[in-house]
Amino acid sequence: MGDPNLTYDKQAISVDCVVFGFDGKALRVLLTRRRRSLPSGEEVVDPKLPGSLISDNEDLLSAADRVVRDFVGVRSIYLKQMEVFSDPQRVQGNELSWINTHYGVELSRVLTVVFFALVKLDEKLLTHTKRRGGEWVELNDVRRLALDHNKILVSAIDHLMHLFHQEPIAFEFLPKKFTMRQLQNLYETVLDIEIDNRNFRKKMLALDYIVEVGEKENSVAHKPAQFYFFDKKKYDREYKKIFKLSSVYK
Amino acid sequence: MGDPNLTYDKQAISVDCVVFGFDGKALRVLLTRRRRSLPSGEEVVDPKLPGSLISDNEDLLSAADRVVRDFVGVRSIYLKQMEVFSDPQRVQGNELSWINTHYGVELSRVLTVVFFALVKLDEKLLTHTKRRGGEWVELNDVRRLALDHNKILVSAIDHLMHLFHQEPIAFEFLPKKFTMRQLQNLYETVLDIEIDNRNFRKKMLALDYIVEVGEKENSVAHKPAQFYFFDKKKYDREYKKIFKLSSVYK
DNA sequence: TTACTTAGCGTAAATTTAACGCTATTGAAA
DNA sequence: TTTCAATAGCGTTAAATTTACGCTAAGTAA
């Protein structure tokens, strides 16, 4: 072999993280900003997904964790690899100059491994994000992002919708104690559908890994609801292994 | 920023391909062999998954396609990214020396993007594979592989089983015309379960994208079966978009 | 001719889903 | 104080789907 097209000295790998959160009404994604000067001398600020080149001795998950933790303060519970974007032309021209300036290297190409993270938004986390220059933007309000980050975001949203049908990830978004209403609102928002309240409740309560806490809401302008929590251990024991054989395959 | 741990001059990216086929009885995976000399002078031949470092101007899918096509002769219909293996120590010592010798480069680290492919095994393909030094090994017969390829294979098998529940990928394994028995055998093999013949048939025939060809088997030692084919266009039109909202989420 | 194997049609009970009625409890508005 | 708006929460029923089987048909091989 010994392919003449291989030089390997200018490729680098980055991680970019799509971090989703739910504010009770809408899905939000974590964005940061990139400041750069155009050749014209003009300064532009492009919103982008948080990311970083990886260090020589770092695996991808650690790198992604480093990036996310920088903005949210805590280790995110749900953080997984999604997809690699590898178009040789995905970063070039001004984009590439920015990276070379910013990191002090001379690259001709950057592949990025996209990570997918879910976090529970709370006051502490929001404060931390703000301090670090991050922003939680409603999905509907996301405009043009740097590089190919719009494409990445679209892919991540699709991924999120699919995952919602396959794993109990909804609970990653909600506080430890949540009401059926909160859970339902989340499903309706993420999947963009309306759900019958009575059937939803019946279905969810039939799952023995959703457990009643024994506390109620208070000071709400309607009948106060029970709080529930997600018993992950129970779920892992009973469901993960079997991995739900659908009818035919029985 | 300007992280001092970033040098970027010794990382390379490879693709490794897990290519599955079905021979009517068992699942097989495509393996190749790597010849190398140990420091002792001894020659060893390790079976491994087919793979390659990527060229400077090549995206990952093209690289994977190049690798697979080299062994099977045809462009594989089903070829998708699976997962990146990025442990900084995953390739080191002798393993790394082999790569550096083989490709004529000086690397300290190799990340690999695993691709997942499904092919229809036929005589022509089998001949091609043999000529190129590849082997179709039954999953049960796979022993120690080079590098972290056993780990990669396990992950791919898991991926395959999950995909079987989510997409109609069974048809990627079978000839264009297949019988219900062939389809059922495939399901039973991949998912490692027994299926009631009558219910399986009922379920499959209810899917309007499985269409009767109008031909029958012959020279079989039992009642000859109808051939069917998978109407991918029909499937795409009717099912892919909706992406099957399961009950609760209606 | 018989045995063996798989194809292929059918029935019925059990389970799950989908559609919807109704009452209860809270804070806020009138 | 009464009414209203909003959500909680219990229930019924028909339809659809799944599961477990019984049984006959059509081939080859012994």
Side-chain angles (χ1 to χ4, degrees):
Chain A
M1 287 195 201
D3 185 328
N5 293 322
L6 300 171
T7 58
Y8 311 119
D9 54 357
K10 292 173 164 183
Q11 294 176 356
I13 298 137
S14 67
V15 293
D16 283 306
C17 301
V18 183
V19 191
F20 290 111
F22 180 63
D23 66 9
K25 292 283 180 191
L27 274 178
R28 291 175 180 265
V29 62
L30 176 61
L31 297 180
T32 177
R33 288 172 179 280
R34 177 183 68 167
R35 248 161 273 278
R36 63 189 173 109
S37 324
L38 294 182
S40 63
E42 192 189 353
E43 273 260 318
V44 290
V45 180
D46 309 313
K48 65 184 285 286
L49 297 169
S52 166
L53 294 181
I54 64 168
S55 304
D56 287 344
N57 208 44
E58 185 180 45
D59 73 15
L60 293 168
L61 186 62
S62 309
D65 183 58
R66 169 170 60 78
V67 167
V68 175
R69 206 160 44 184
D70 184 41
F71 285 100
V72 305
V74 292
R75 183 178 298 274
S76 64
I77 306 302
Y78 195 98
L79 176 62
K80 300 207 170 154
Q81 260 186 52
M82 200 183 88
E83 190 185 349
V84 188
F85 285 74
S86 67
D87 182 339
Q89 265 75 56
R90 64 175 287 276
V91 184
Q92 52 183 173
N94 290 335
E95 305 285 9
L96 198 56
S97 315
W98 178 81
I99 288 180
N100 289 339
T101 308
H102 189 76
Y103 285 95
V105 288
E106 192 60 41
L107 301 173
S108 64
R109 177 180 187 184
V110 182
L111 288 85
T112 196
V113 182
V114 177
F115 276 76
F116 176 91
L118 310 176
V119 300
K120 302 182 201 295
L121 297 182
D122 59 30
E123 274 314 312
K124 201 174 154 193
L125 186 148
L126 292 174
T127 310
H128 189 100
T129 301
K130 202 166 217 171
R131 214 161 39 219
R132 295 308 178 101
E135 262 186 297
W136 287 99
V137 181
E138 271 196 34
L139 284 192
N140 293 327
D141 297 340
V142 174
R143 298 287 172 262
R144 177 86 188 79
L145 303 177
L147 300 156
D148 52 358
H149 288 190
N150 287 87
K151 201 167 149 193
I152 291 175
L153 179 57
V154 166
S155 180
I157 292 170
D158 187 65
H159 188 67
L160 175 64
M161 291 178 73
H162 276 275
L163 269 185
F164 246 73
H165 292 289
Q166 289 159 21
E167 292 177 37
I169 56 168
F171 312 104
E172 307 294 339
F173 284 112
L174 298 176
K176 281 195 180 153
K177 300 176 194 173
F178 55 86
T179 66
M180 279 295 145
R181 172 59 45 187
Q182 288 177 290
L183 188 61
Q184 183 178 337
N185 285 347
L186 176 56
Y187 271 90
E188 292 184 332
T189 302
V190 171
L191 301 178
D192 193 27
I193 51 174
E194 286 198 353
I195 303 176
D196 180 281
N197 168 269
R198 296 152 294 186
N199 290 334
F200 181 80
R201 154 184 300 278
K202 225 181 303 174
K203 188 92 177 188
M204 288 300 166
L205 294 181
L207 304 172
D208 57 0
Y209 53 79
I210 296 185
V211 186
E212 208 175 293
V213 174
E215 290 175 43
K216 282 186 182 179
E217 286 179 311
N218 53 46
S219 313
V220 284
H222 55 76
K223 181 171 174 179
Q226 288 288 338
F227 282 114
Y228 297 87
F229 72 95
F230 170 59
D231 189 333
K232 185 159 169 43
K233 282 185 194 162
K234 213 169 209 167
Y235 172 78
D236 285 344
R237 269 201 306 276
E238 300 177 30
Y239 293 81
K240 224 164 186 172
K241 286 179 217 162
I242 315 176
F243 92 78
K244 219 184 165 186
L245 295 176
S246 114
S247 54
V248 191
Y249 320 127
K250 168 61 202 318
Chain B
M1 285 195 203
D3 186 327
N5 291 323
L6 300 171
T7 57
Y8 311 119
D9 54 357
K10 293 174 164 182
Q11 294 176 356
I13 297 137
S14 66
V15 293
D16 283 306
C17 301
V18 184
V19 190
F20 290 110
F22 181 64
D23 67 8
K25 292 282 179 191
L27 273 179
R28 292 175 180 267
V29 63
L30 176 61
L31 296 182
T32 179
R33 289 173 178 282
R34 177 183 66 168
R35 250 160 272 280
R36 62 188 174 107
S37 325
L38 294 182
S40 62
E42 192 189 353
E43 273 260 317
V44 290
V45 179
D46 308 313
K48 67 185 281 289
L49 296 169
S52 165
L53 293 182
I54 64 168
S55 303
D56 285 346
N57 207 44
E58 186 180 43
D59 74 14
L60 293 168
L61 186 61
S62 309
D65 183 56
R66 169 169 61 76
V67 168
V68 175
R69 207 160 45 186
D70 185 40
F71 285 100
V72 305
V74 293
R75 184 178 297 274
S76 63
I77 307 300
Y78 195 98
L79 176 61
K80 301 208 171 157
Q81 259 187 52
M82 201 184 87
E83 190 185 348
V84 187
F85 286 73
S86 67
D87 182 339
Q89 266 74 58
R90 65 175 287 276
V91 184
Q92 52 184 169
N94 290 335
E95 305 285 10
L96 198 56
S97 315
W98 180 81
I99 288 180
N100 289 338
T101 307
H102 189 76
Y103 285 93
V105 289
E106 192 58 46
L107 302 172
S108 63
R109 177 181 185 184
V110 181
L111 288 85
T112 197
V113 183
V114 177
F115 276 76
F116 175 90
L118 310 176
V119 299
K120 302 182 201 295
L121 297 182
D122 59 30
E123 275 314 313
K124 200 175 155 195
L125 186 149
L126 292 174
T127 309
H128 189 101
T129 301
K130 202 167 216 166
R131 218 167 31 224
R132 296 306 178 100
E135 265 184 296
W136 287 99
V137 182
E138 270 195 33
L139 284 191
N140 292 328
D141 297 340
V142 174
R143 299 285 172 265
R144 178 86 187 81
L145 303 177
L147 301 155
D148 52 358
H149 288 189
N150 287 88
K151 202 167 148 192
I152 290 175
L153 179 56
V154 166
S155 181
I157 293 169
D158 188 66
H159 189 66
L160 175 64
M161 291 178 73
H162 275 275
L163 269 186
F164 245 73
H165 291 290
Q166 288 159 24
E167 293 176 36
I169 55 169
F171 312 105
E172 307 293 338
F173 285 111
L174 299 175
K176 280 195 180 154
K177 300 174 192 175
F178 54 85
T179 64
M180 278 294 144
R181 172 59 44 186
Q182 288 177 291
L183 188 61
Q184 183 178 336
N185 285 347
L186 176 57
Y187 270 90
E188 291 184 332
T189 303
V190 171
L191 301 177
D192 194 28
I193 52 175
E194 287 195 354
I195 303 176
D196 179 280
N197 168 269
R198 297 153 293 187
N199 290 333
F200 180 80
R201 154 183 302 278
K202 224 181 308 173
K203 188 90 179 190
M204 289 299 165
L205 294 180
L207 304 172
D208 57 0
Y209 53 79
I210 296 185
V211 185
E212 208 175 293
V213 173
E215 288 175 43
K216 282 187 183 179
E217 286 180 310
N218 52 47
S219 315
V220 285
H222 54 76
K223 179 173 176 179
Q226 288 288 338
F227 282 115
Y228 297 86
F229 73 95
F230 170 60
D231 189 335
K232 186 159 167 45
K233 281 185 194 162
K234 211 167 209 169
Y235 173 78
D236 286 342
R237 268 203 306 278
E238 300 177 28
Y239 293 79
K240 222 163 185 172
K241 287 179 215 160
I242 314 174
F243 93 77
K244 220 185 164 183
L245 296 176
S246 115
S247 55
V248 191
Y249 319 129
K250 170 59 202 324

